[in-house]
Structures are given as structure tokens and as C-alpha cells.
Amino acid sequence: MSLQFQNDCGDSVKQAIIEELQNLLSSDTGVLHQAEKRTRQLEYTEGYGVYLSEIIMNQSHELPLRQIAIVMLTRYVENHWSDDQDSAASEQAKRTIRNILPNGLYDPNSKIRSSVAHTISTIAATDYPHGWSELFDIIVKCLGGNEDSIHGAMQVLQDFTYDVKQIKELGPVVIPEVYRIFDSEQNYSIKTRVSAIRILKPLFASIATLISNKEEQSTMVSSILNNFMDKLMHYLSMNSGAGSSFLLRSEIIKVFTHLVNEMPKYIHPFMDRILPIVWQLLTQIAETYVKVSVNQTETNPLASGDIEEEDEQTNFQTLIVQILEFINCILTCNKLRGSIKNVLADLIYITIVYIQLSEEQLEDWQDDPEKFVDDEEDNGVELTVRMCGRDVLLAINDEFGAKAIQPLQEALGRHFSVAEAEKAANNPNWWKIQEACMDAVHSFRDIILEGDSSFDLLNYLTLVRNLLVHQESPPLVGRALWTLSTYSKSDLYNPQMLAEILDVTLCSLSPDKSHILRISAVRTLNGFLQANETIEGEKRTLLVSKLPGFLDGIMALVPGCKAGVLALLMEALTIMVKFDAEFAYAGQAKITPLAIAVFLKYTEDPFVLETVQDLIKALCQQKECLGPLQEKFIPTIVSILGLTGTASTEKQDIALDVLNAIVRYTEAPLSTSLLETAFPAVINCVLHTDDHAVMVAGGECLRSFINVSPEQICSYKNGEGLNCIMQVVATVLLNPMNSEMTAGGQIGRLVITIITKMGNMLGQNVDMLLKAVISKMQNLECLKVIMNLVVIFAHLFLTQMDAVLNFLSTVPGPNGEPAMQFVLTNWLSRQNSFFGTYERKVTTMALCKLFEYGVATQDNRLTTISFKELVDDPTDTRRRTRSVAASTQKWVTIPALVKIFKVLVSEYQHFQEGKIDEPLTDSEEDGDDDDAPGNPDHPRYISDLIDSDEDSAEDEQLLQELLKETNYQGDIADNLQKFLTTFTQNEHFPTFYEHLTEAERLILLTKVQQK
């Protein structure tokens, strides 16, 4: 042994490691916890990694012990291998481990080989090639060895992280070996050949990423494909024998899918040969899939097993999933989509076959209502054949639009004929294809409802209505009801037809029905109400008349429900409450206690909690419900806010959110319970908590109190209300000693609300409040917090210019400089990074007004303020590289007004040209039509990628109020353009122009003045 670690002390350490590894396998949590703690200590022992390597290689040890040793060795490598990490392994230990580990690639156990290969790849990411140059020879030697070593080498290459040099050096050696192994079906097992194919995908990805020269890239990829493609298609098309493994064919399809997604121009020449093979495969295995998986009318002839290559039952399903994903990728690829546009009817037909409900999934639904809701409401979390089929149909709808309707009807006609024949022959599974057809049509619902397509909706709805009599098949009836509800805004629905469907839906909620049908009835109700939320007249009257019955049915479904079903029921109640105010008032006696119960039980489930909060908000928005809701809910909330201890904070922020909703929708005057009970409870809770989330939620709640009735809050207990507000804001939320995240909510809106709503009542408190804001601005890192605080001053510049200028000019900043200097430095250095439509517009408008005022008046409160910025030295003529740029940049001091002007030029570009550049794909480079029918829209503006604050009525109101006090109306970009254009004619313009960079001058002269 080459180890110098091996001595008496080393033996004892090694034995201790073995004992702790065995303890890590224990089912006793106490033993396990102690073993983890002890193992972390042993990691710092000299030779720890070496001893683990020896244990892994020792085949006399039990497999679980060797496997846990590999896990611990990999963790050791990740935490102690790099020299810049604490307690890095010694060079001697690293060298010894590198010498030992490759032996594991020859191990007869595939699990050991795969795990060792992963650890080797992890080491190689740091050491290869400079610290482990011999690894290349090790891999080549393994590829020329026995099947075990070949499999081991392939596993290393699958996880390998290449650089440009390695791609060029390893590629010519590895690729021929991969081809030889893949094509040697007589000499190598499926497992080894699959490992060979799995190398291609990361290899292609590395070439695409690392080889920037398009010609060189094309040569490398084309060379590989020209060599491999014939064999890939050959083994994909094989129908029987050892070489036709489903696993092998799945891996081949994965390679094709990667090429379609990432490198379509390289696979394009082969598509005419690939598609017929894939199509033949998809249609050939459909019959087996229906008999074995969908209907289970035949025993599964495929083998199952714990080892991947032996589990053909799973591999069969995986192959179908991979084929459907491959087709989906073709549909969304501009360059390749046209290759299947002439076979849409056949594609839709076969896809509907695959989205049929399998017997296994049906059994899961019958056993577990949660599984049914998960699959149907949220499309499931498992990647199933049904889900992938749905994705294909959605892609057809997205890419072909109305052009897909005729092929859809053709496919439906063929399936309906088959279903009728199966029903006539008393086939118990006849309904499954009907259910699948309805599922499929839903993918095209929006186009059908637009009325621009040729879809025969009347005939389709008649057929679906006729299925309601088949109560023996709950999934079929449930799907039919839901389908009918989603088209119910159509003029084809007369009152008689609507009443009939609603009665069947209500009957389906009966306790004696299966939970599949009862939950489907709730989904159907949601569909009816959402489709007809704006409808008036007889339809609405009919729907409203049925709501009490549906409420009783939903309440009967609640007992025993788990989170997923309960969330669906909460959503249904929310929609019902919003739909009709009179129903909401009549039903709130049942709904409110349920909301309270769910709120208390599911405070740790964010999904359910969100639906409860939505229900509470809906009740609050119905004026007649607000009083009873307050009466029942406020005592519960106050009780939670009064809790102490760590467990209490988990509920308090949620309770504050709920109270916030209640207060926000309340009209002045505040009720006694809100003012005398809830308000002091909020103050007390926020003042005594150390939880940031509770502080932020409390601030938001107080803002709503002030918004609704500032006079009542100020006069609460002879002025104590105002003192309480100031205490919370100044000493908690804006306290610089607290975490900056105490101002992480909407602190800016809170302070603005206090000043605008309570201004005349604040007195000297205004100065105290603004001083607290300035104090909080010190040493902040979170952009959102800085932005929230800056917005306060932006708002004041727009509404009270002279007052805020006086304040900032007379108050010192944290470091003794004028507060104006401090605020503008923090503001101007970050303005271009601000986000949120409201915040960005308000701060930009404020800078416009401040700049306009400063230039016009030359007020020394502004002209004496300076700003430091880093600029390039224009006298340096050296070629710009990163190192040169860094060495030639220097700090310069410019007037703050100049910096404001530079920021406004940049802001103009942001608002006018803040479009998202879509990355070019291979297909787009070649000039394909990006405007093909159904091509999905992409985000065009930065604001499309974030929640628009203008969606909030409150934000819109604030913006409108501010606009009234300024000269800015309409589009902010247009206002900026006019503002900047006008200033170019100002006598002071040349002075400002001198300070602009070339890029800023280009924006100003070519994009502003030309408009």
C-alpha cells in the first residue's frame, strides 16, 4: 500500500469510520443523528478521504456500507477539495485518492461503478487536466477493458465537465469508442450501450456552448451525426430482439429531442428519415399501451425489475413520454414545424389514444381524492403519458391555431365512431376514448369560442350532453359536466338547457355519489360562474337560484377533506361570494365559520391559506357581509395577536394579513371593534415582536387603518393613536438598529400615507418621521428597501417641493453632510436599477421636476450638491480590455443636477426601448417566419416580467393624484422625450452636454431629438 497514513493510529481511525458508516445506516434517528455529528468531526482527520476510498474498494464489505462510504467521500470532495476551502485535503491525500478511485470503475457492481464515476467527475472538475493529467489515459484504458470498466468510463464521461481544449482532445478519442460500443449489440449489454448513447447529449451541449466558431462547430456536430445517424435510426426501428430495448430507444429519442431543441439546423437534414420511424413506433405500440395500461384487458407481457435496464414496464412508458416530448419540441420549432403540418389529423388522433385515462390512474383517483384534484386541477406533478399528450395538443393549438380545427374534427369523428361501436359491443371501457376526446377538445377551447373556426360546437355539445346519463362512469360524467360549463357563455345555451345541466351538476354533489363526481361537480360550478361572471338576465338569475343548493353540497363535502380538495372548495366559495351579493349575505353565516376554521388549521400550508385569504377578501368586498365578518373574525385575530412565544409568530403575520383585508374594504367610520380592539392589538403585537414578517405585515395593516379613517386613528385615546403610529414606524420599522428587512414591505407607501392622510395633524412628527427615514437609509444593501425609502422623498418632491428642500438642506445626514447630499447619492446611484411600474414612474417624474426646478431657479440648495461617479479616462487610447478599463477608470465629481440629467437620459431609454431582445435560435438565424400562426407571444417589455403595480387600484389612484399636481400626463416615455427635447433648447444645455458620455449623447441626439 502506498499510504503513509497506515499505522496503528490509522487503523483505529479507519475502524471508527466504519463504525460511524454503519451507524449512518441505522433506522434509529438518535443513532443516526450522533453518527452524522461524529462523521463531520472525522472529516477533519488526516486520511479520512483515503480510508473511505479503501472501504469503497474493499468488496468484502457489504454493499450498503460501500455505498454510504461513496456518499460521504463525495461530500468530502465537495467540501474539502479546493485549496480555497477551509481544511482542504492535503496534496498527499488527494493524490492517494486519485490513485485508488479509478479501480472502482472495474467493480462488478454497477451501483458502485456509477457512484465512483460521479465522484471522479467531481474531482475532475477541479483537478483535470493540470492536477490529474493521467485521467485521460485512465478513461481510454477503461474503454479498452471489460464491459464493467467500459460502463464505468461511460459513467464518468456522462458527468464530465468539458472545456474547449478537452472537447477537441477527448472528442476524437471518445466518439469512435462510443460508436463501437453502441453498435456492438452482440458484445455489450443494453446497460453499457445505453451509457454510450447518454454521452452524446452532454457532448453536443458542450460543443454548442464552447465552440463559438460556427464553421468549426458545424464540422464537429455534422461529423458525429453523419457517423451515428444510420445506426441510431436502425436501432430505433427494431421491433424485437435484445437490440430493441425500450430503454435504448428512449435514449435515442432523447438525443433527437436535444438536437431539435438546441441545434435544429443540424438535425433538419435527417428529419425526413427520422419522422417515419418515430411515427411507426408510436402507432405500433399504441395497441399494447391501450390493452396493457389503459384497459388492463391483457396481462403485461413486459418484464419488471429493480434495475433500470431490466424494468421494461417502466421503460415502455418512458419511451412513449419521450416520443411525445420529441413531437412537442418539433411543434414549437420554427424550422421543423412544417414537417408535420400535413399529418395533423393523424397526430391528433393518435395523441387522443394516449391521453386516455389509465386503469392505474383511475384506481389512484378512486382511492385518493387528493390525487384526482392534483391531476385534474394542477395537471399533476408526475410526468405521465396523459400529461405529455395534453402538452402536444396544446402545442398544436398554439402553433397552428384555427388551422388545426378541421384536423381535430376529423380525428374526433373517427374516435366517436369507434366509441359507439365499442359501446354497442358492451365493452366496459368504451367511455375512456370519449373522456379523452373531451379532454383533447379543451386544448382548443379558446379558438372554438372565438367563433372564427369551423368547429361544429352545437353538435359537439349535444354529444357531450347525451353522455350525462352514464352515471355508472363517474369520470366520464364529471368530464362532460365540466366541459359543458366551460362553453356555457356561448349563445347556444338556452335557459332550459342550462337548468338541465345545473340540476345534473347539483345532483352530482349528493353524498351518495363518488368523490370523483362530487369534486367534478365543484369544478363544474366554478366553470359556470367564471364563464358567466359578467352576464346579466335570465342566465344569471338561474345561476343565482342554484347557489344555495351548491353551498349545501360543498359544506357536506368539507368534513374529512385534505388540503388539495379543501383549497378547491375554498376557491369555489370565493367565486360564489363574488358572483352575487345577496347570496353572499345569506350564506356568510355558514361560510365565515368555515373560513375561520380552515384559517386556524392550515396556517402552515401557504396554498390553502391563500385560498382562505381570497375568500375573506371576497366577503369583505360585499358590504353587507363586512359587519358579520368583523364580528366573528376580529376576536379570533385579536386572540392570535396577543399570543406570546416563538410559536405565535407563525400565525401572527397571517392574522395581520387577514385583518388588513378586513380593514382595507371597510368604509369610515371604523367600527368599535376595529378601533378599540383590533387597532391596539396590532400596535402591541408589532412593538413586542422580533419577527420581521410580523413587523412588515403590521405596517401594512396600520396603513389600511390610516387610509380608511385617519382622523379616528389620530384622535384615538386623545392623541395616543398618532403616538402609537409614530412609535411603530420610527422605533420599529425604521429603526436603523433593526434588520433592514423591517422596511422590506411597503414602508414607502406607509410613510407617504401618513404624511398625505394625516399631514395637518402631524405637527413636528413630520420632521421626526423623515429623519427616521434618512437614518434607516444608512448601510442598506437590499435594493427594494432603498427604493421604498427613496419613493418617500420622490413623492414629496412632486407634492411639497419647497418644504422638502428646506428640510433636506437644514438637516445633517448620518455622516455630517447635508441630508440632501446623502439622499441624492443613494437615489441617483440606483435609479436605473429600480423596479415596479409605480416606483419607477414616481421617481422619474420627481427627478424631472427637481431638475427643472434646479435649472430654472439655480437654487443653491441644489446647485451646491455634488455627485461622485466612476468614468473612463478619455485620454487613454489603449485597446479596451477588462484589465485596461479597470486601470484607466477614475472617480470624478460632477454637480448633482448633471447627474440627474444623465439619469433622465437613461430613464428615457428604459421607458422607450425597454424591450426584451429575444435570443436568436438556429431557426431564426436562417430566416424562418417568426409570425407563423399560433406562434406564442413573448414578453416585450421589462414590465411584462414583473407584477405590474398598475394592476392595483390603489397604485393607479396614487399615480393619478400625482399626475394632477405635475405637468406629466399620459405615457411617461413621451413626457420624457418632450422634456429632454425642450431642454436641448435651454441656454444651460451646452454645460450639461459636456458631461455626457458618447452613449448618452447618442441617445439624446438620435433617439430623442429625431422624434
Side-chain angles (χ1 to χ4, degrees):
M1 221 173 263
S2 62
L3 302 183
Q4 296 179 9
F5 301 106
Q6 204 72 23
N7 49 40
D8 291 342
C9 180
D11 287 340
S12 62
V13 172
K14 185 174 181 180
Q15 186 57 42
I17 292 172
I18 291 174
E19 289 176 4
E20 297 307 330
L21 291 175
Q22 289 170 333
N23 289 336
L24 286 174
L25 299 170
S26 171
S27 58
D28 187 318
T29 54
V31 173
L32 182 61
H33 177 73
Q34 288 299 318
E36 289 174 346
K37 183 178 178 181
R38 177 68 177 143
T39 303
R40 281 193 292 270
Q41 296 171 345
L42 287 169
E43 282 185 18
Y44 296 93
T45 305
E46 181 68 12
Y48 174 77
V50 175
Y51 297 135
L52 285 175
S53 301
E54 291 181 344
I55 294 167
I56 294 164
M57 296 305 124
N58 190 338
Q59 297 180 23
S60 65
H61 288 305
E62 295 290 331
L63 178 61
L65 182 71
R66 299 174 70 198
Q67 287 178 304
I68 193 66
I70 298 176
V71 172
M72 303 313 293
L73 178 61
T74 303
R75 189 174 81 175
Y76 175 75
V77 169
E78 291 170 347
N79 295 334
H80 300 279
W81 206 262
S82 297
D83 292 334
D84 57 352
Q85 290 174 313
D86 293 336
S87 305
S90 67
E91 287 303 317
Q92 181 186 356
K94 291 180 183 179
R95 185 166 53 252
T96 306
I97 293 169
R98 289 194 297 259
N99 288 336
I100 294 174
L101 275 186
N103 297 319
L105 300 178
Y106 293 82
D107 198 278
N109 188 288
S110 63
K111 293 180 179 178
I112 296 295
R113 290 197 303 273
S114 297
S115 299
V116 167
H118 175 68
T119 307
I120 289 174
S121 296
T122 304
I123 295 173
T126 302
D127 290 6
Y128 183 80
H130 305 294
W132 199 3
S133 57
E134 60 269 27
L135 178 60
F136 180 80
D137 294 330
I138 291 170
I139 292 174
V140 172
K141 182 180 177 182
C142 286
L143 291 173
N146 60 25
E147 185 164 356
D148 289 340
S149 71
I150 290 171
H151 175 258
M154 293 296 176
Q155 294 296 113
V156 173
L157 292 171
Q158 281 180 43
D159 292 335
F160 203 76
T161 303
Y162 299 93
D163 61 23
V164 175
K165 184 178 179 183
Q166 292 159 10
I167 281 283
K168 295 179 179 179
E169 288 181 354
L170 284 175
V173 177
V174 170
I175 293 169
E177 286 298 306
V178 170
Y179 180 85
R180 177 183 66 80
I181 294 163
F182 168 61
D183 192 33
S184 300
E185 58 179 301
Q186 303 301 323
N187 299 326
Y188 298 110
S189 66
I190 289 293
K191 175 177 61 182
T192 302
R193 295 171 64 216
V194 164
S195 294
I197 286 299
R198 284 175 175 167
I199 290 173
L200 291 179
K201 182 178 171 181
L203 193 61
F204 284 135
S206 297
I207 291 172
T209 304
L210 299 173
I211 308 300
S212 56
N213 184 291
K214 293 294 183 182
E215 186 176 341
E216 186 178 4
Q217 183 189 107
S218 179
T219 301
M220 294 181 72
V221 175
S222 298
S223 174
I224 298 171
L225 289 180
N226 288 334
N227 289 328
F228 271 82
M229 195 57 76
D230 286 341
K231 288 298 179 182
L232 289 172
M233 289 189 283
H234 168 71
Y235 289 112
L236 186 63
S237 61
M238 293 181 68
N239 294 325
S240 58
S244 65
S245 158
F246 293 122
L247 179 60
L248 184 68
R249 288 191 275 187
S250 293
E251 292 302 322
I252 293 171
I253 294 289
K254 282 183 183 179
V255 173
F256 290 165
T257 303
H258 176 79
L259 290 170
V260 168
N261 265 336
E262 306 297 333
M263 312 169 85
K265 67 183 178 184
Y266 295 117
I267 196 174
H268 184 253
F270 301 97
M271 290 303 291
D272 287 344
R273 295 167 59 198
I274 293 173
L275 283 176
I277 296 172
V278 173
W279 181 254
Q280 183 181 29
L281 183 59
L282 188 66
T283 53
Q284 281 180 346
I285 61 180
E287 184 179 359
T288 301
Y289 177 73
V290 171
K291 290 179 178 178
V292 170
S293 296
V294 174
N295 297 332
Q296 291 187 1
T297 54
E298 290 185 4
T299 304
N300 198 327
L302 303 174
S304 63
D306 296 330
I307 302 174
E308 183 183 34
E309 62 270 17
E310 295 178 0
D311 188 8
E312 285 293 80
Q313 288 186 12
T314 300
N315 294 336
F316 175 68
Q317 301 268 347
T318 302
L319 175 60
I320 299 172
V321 166
Q322 289 302 326
I323 293 174
L324 292 173
E325 287 195 340
F326 174 64
I327 294 171
N328 196 351
C329 291
I330 294 173
L331 286 165
T332 55
C333 177
N334 289 340
K335 181 179 283 291
L336 304 176
R337 186 185 309 127
S339 58
I340 57 176
K341 66 181 179 182
N342 294 324
V343 293
L344 281 182
D346 291 332
L347 177 57
I348 293 172
Y349 179 86
I350 197 67
T351 304
I352 292 174
V353 171
Y354 282 109
I355 66 171
Q356 289 181 92
L357 185 61
S358 71
E359 199 64 27
E360 181 181 2
Q361 192 170 21
L362 179 56
E363 290 172 1
D364 287 342
W365 288 1
Q366 291 169 338
D367 293 339
D368 185 5
E370 289 286 298
K371 186 74 170 91
F372 173 63
V373 171
D374 185 43
D375 286 348
E376 291 303 280
E377 278 292 296
D378 304 319
N379 213 15
V381 293
E382 299 174 15
L383 189 62
T384 62
V385 172
R386 183 175 170 98
M387 185 192 302
C388 291
R390 284 173 170 173
D391 288 342
V392 168
L393 294 170
L394 286 170
I396 292 173
N397 172 70
D398 289 342
E399 305 303 339
F400 290 97
K403 293 180 180 178
I405 296 301
Q406 189 56 43
L408 171 67
Q409 293 204 124
E410 184 181 328
L412 291 175
R414 291 159 60 187
H415 276 306
F416 288 155
S417 298
V418 172
E420 286 302 313
E422 294 288 343
K423 185 169 71 169
N426 295 320
N427 183 335
N429 296 304
W430 69 270
W431 60 270
K432 289 188 176 182
I433 199 67
Q434 294 277 33
E435 192 270 347
C437 285
M438 288 185 282
D439 195 326
V441 173
H442 185 70
S443 299
F444 302 87
R445 183 181 71 97
D446 291 343
I447 290 176
I448 292 170
L449 282 174
E450 286 169 5
D452 296 332
S453 69
S454 58
F455 190 81
D456 188 350
L457 184 57
L458 177 60
N459 185 53
Y460 174 67
L461 293 176
T462 302
L463 187 147
V464 173
R465 279 179 69 193
N466 292 337
L467 297 174
L468 296 179
V469 299
H470 297 285
Q471 294 288 317
E472 72 280 1
S473 303
L476 176 68
V477 176
R479 173 70 61 184
L481 286 170
W482 183 70
T483 297
L484 290 166
S485 75
T486 59
Y487 292 95
S488 60
K489 73 176 182 180
S490 166
D491 293 335
L492 296 174
Y493 283 66
N494 57 48
Q496 182 182 353
M497 176 180 174
L498 185 60
E500 175 193 322
I501 299 168
L502 286 172
D503 287 341
V504 175
T505 306
L506 192 53
C507 180
S508 299
L509 262 175
S510 301
D512 60 327
K513 301 293 184 180
S514 78
H515 60 250
I516 292 177
L517 192 52
R518 296 174 76 188
I519 294 170
S520 295
V522 177
R523 296 181 70 224
T524 300
L525 173 64
N526 289 354
F528 273 117
L529 298 182
Q530 288 171 329
N532 295 279
E533 61 182 344
T534 59
I535 203 78
E536 295 295 339
E538 200 171 353
K539 262 189 181 181
R540 172 172 283 272
T541 303
L542 185 56
L543 284 165
V544 169
S545 70
K546 302 292 183 182
L547 291 181
F550 280 112
L551 175 59
D552 292 338
I554 289 173
M555 297 301 292
L557 193 52
V558 168
C561 279
K562 295 181 181 177
V565 178
L566 197 56
L568 176 64
L569 301 184
M570 293 295 104
E571 181 185 351
L573 291 173
T574 302
I575 296 170
M576 293 165 73
V577 167
K578 288 181 177 180
F579 193 79
D580 186 72
E582 290 185 8
F583 161 77
Y585 179 68
Q588 60 84 23
K590 296 178 180 178
I591 296 171
T592 302
L594 174 62
I596 294 174
V598 176
F599 165 72
L600 293 173
K601 184 176 181 180
Y602 286 91
T603 50
E604 296 180 10
D605 188 319
F607 179 60
V608 176
L609 201 57
E610 184 179 358
T611 62
V612 176
Q613 287 178 288
D614 288 342
L615 176 57
I616 294 167
K617 288 176 185 176
L619 287 167
C620 290
Q621 287 172 299
Q622 302 291 5
K623 292 182 180 179
E624 297 298 323
C625 297
L626 195 53
L629 181 72
Q630 290 182 15
E631 183 182 338
K632 292 177 181 176
F633 227 124
I634 288 177
T636 301
I637 292 173
V638 170
S639 175
I640 293 172
L641 296 183
L643 295 174
T644 57
T646 54
S648 64
T649 58
E650 296 178 1
K651 293 182 179 181
Q652 284 178 341
D653 60 329
I654 308 301
L656 287 165
D657 286 343
V658 172
L659 179 59
N660 186 24
I662 293 173
V663 176
R664 184 182 302 157
Y665 296 107
T666 297
E667 294 183 354
L670 293 166
S671 65
T672 302
S673 60
L674 281 175
L675 185 62
E676 301 292 338
T677 307
F679 174 67
V682 174
I683 297 291
N684 184 67
C685 177
V686 176
L687 290 177
H688 292 90
T689 186
D690 57 2
D691 187 283
H692 300 154
V694 174
M695 295 178 190
V696 171
E700 281 298 283
C701 194
L702 291 177
R703 183 159 71 97
S704 294
F705 271 105
I706 297 167
N707 254 327
V708 172
S709 187
E711 294 83 4
Q712 280 184 283
I713 295 299
C714 268
S715 60
Y716 171 73
K717 288 193 175 179
N718 297 320
E720 277 303 305
L722 177 58
N723 293 336
C724 291
I725 293 289
M726 296 305 298
Q727 190 178 4
V728 167
V729 177
T731 65
V732 177
L733 301 180
L734 291 176
N735 188 340
M737 303 303 293
N738 288 341
S739 162
E740 64 182 285
M741 296 317 296
T742 58
Q746 298 287 357
I747 185 66
R749 313 276 180 97
L750 173 57
V751 174
I752 291 168
T753 301
I754 292 172
I755 293 173
T756 55
K757 295 284 187 177
M758 308 171 80
N760 295 331
M761 300 171 267
L762 289 176
Q764 295 300 314
N765 284 312
V766 174
D767 283 5
M768 185 181 81
L769 198 58
L770 294 180
K771 287 177 183 178
V773 172
I774 292 172
S775 183
K776 187 68 175 180
M777 289 179 75
Q778 298 178 72
N779 305 318
L780 292 178
E781 295 181 359
C782 178
L783 179 63
K784 181 182 179 182
V785 177
I786 295 170
M787 181 178 70
N788 283 338
L789 298 179
V790 165
V791 164
I792 296 168
F793 290 104
H795 191 280
L796 291 172
F797 278 126
L798 287 169
T799 57
Q800 303 178 40
M801 173 70 78
D802 194 57
V804 74
L805 280 175
N806 278 333
F807 172 79
L808 291 175
S809 302
T810 56
V811 172
N815 301 316
E817 77 279 43
M820 179 75 77
Q821 178 81 54
F822 175 73
V823 170
L824 286 180
T825 299
N826 277 279
W827 182 352
L828 298 175
S829 61
R830 297 178 174 90
Q831 172 68 33
N832 297 142
S833 300
F834 287 171
F835 54 90
T837 306
Y838 169 77
E839 286 78 4
R840 196 78 181 249
K841 284 186 176 182
V842 169
T843 50
T844 301
M845 289 191 302
L847 289 177
C848 283
K849 185 170 182 179
L850 190 60
F851 179 76
E852 189 175 39
Y853 172 85
V855 171
T857 64
Q858 291 297 302
D859 191 325
N860 64 3
R861 292 175 297 183
L862 281 175
T863 56
T864 57
I865 304 299
S866 60
F867 184 88
K868 288 184 177 181
E869 70 174 354
L870 198 61
V871 299
D872 292 332
D873 184 355
T875 61
D876 194 295
T877 58
R878 285 180 290 173
R879 178 176 171 269
R880 279 290 185 266
T881 63
R882 288 183 182 179
S883 58
V884 169
S887 65
T888 60
Q889 287 183 323
K890 62 180 182 180
W891 288 99
V892 297
T893 300
I894 59 176
L897 285 174
V898 170
K899 179 59 180 178
I900 292 174
F901 182 62
K902 291 162 73 73
V903 168
L904 289 175
V905 172
S906 178
E907 286 300 271
Y908 168 76
Q909 186 179 35
H910 162 77
F911 283 109
Q912 186 65 37
E913 301 176 348
K915 298 177 181 178
I916 302 297
D917 292 327
E918 297 173 22
L920 287 177
T921 63
D922 287 8
S923 58
E924 290 167 337
E925 287 171 359
D926 289 347
D928 284 82
D929 180 15
D930 294 336
D931 297 320
N935 196 43
D937 293 331
H938 298 283
R940 297 188 59 187
Y941 301 93
I942 290 173
S943 58
D944 289 339
L945 302 180
I946 57 178
D947 291 329
S948 173
D949 291 335
E950 289 183 315
D951 290 340
S952 163
E954 180 187 358
D955 283 356
E956 185 62 31
Q957 182 182 352
L958 284 170
L959 277 172
Q960 293 306 318
E961 288 176 359
L962 286 174
L963 287 171
K964 288 178 183 178
E965 301 189 36
T966 67
N967 295 322
Y968 311 118
Q969 300 294 329
D971 183 72
I972 187 71
D974 290 342
N975 280 299
L976 271 173
Q977 187 263 326
K978 293 174 185 175
F979 178 86
L980 294 172
T981 301
T982 301
F983 181 66
T984 59
Q985 309 302 318
N986 187 285
E987 61 179 313
H988 297 289
F989 174 69
T991 304
F992 287 85
Y993 185 77
E994 290 176 4
H995 292 279
L996 299 182
T997 65
E998 287 301 319
E1000 291 165 343
R1001 292 179 181 183
L1002 186 65
I1003 295 170
L1004 190 64
L1005 298 178
T1006 64
K1007 297 182 180 180
V1008 175
Q1009 289 184 304
Q1010 72 177 5
K1011 289 187 178 293

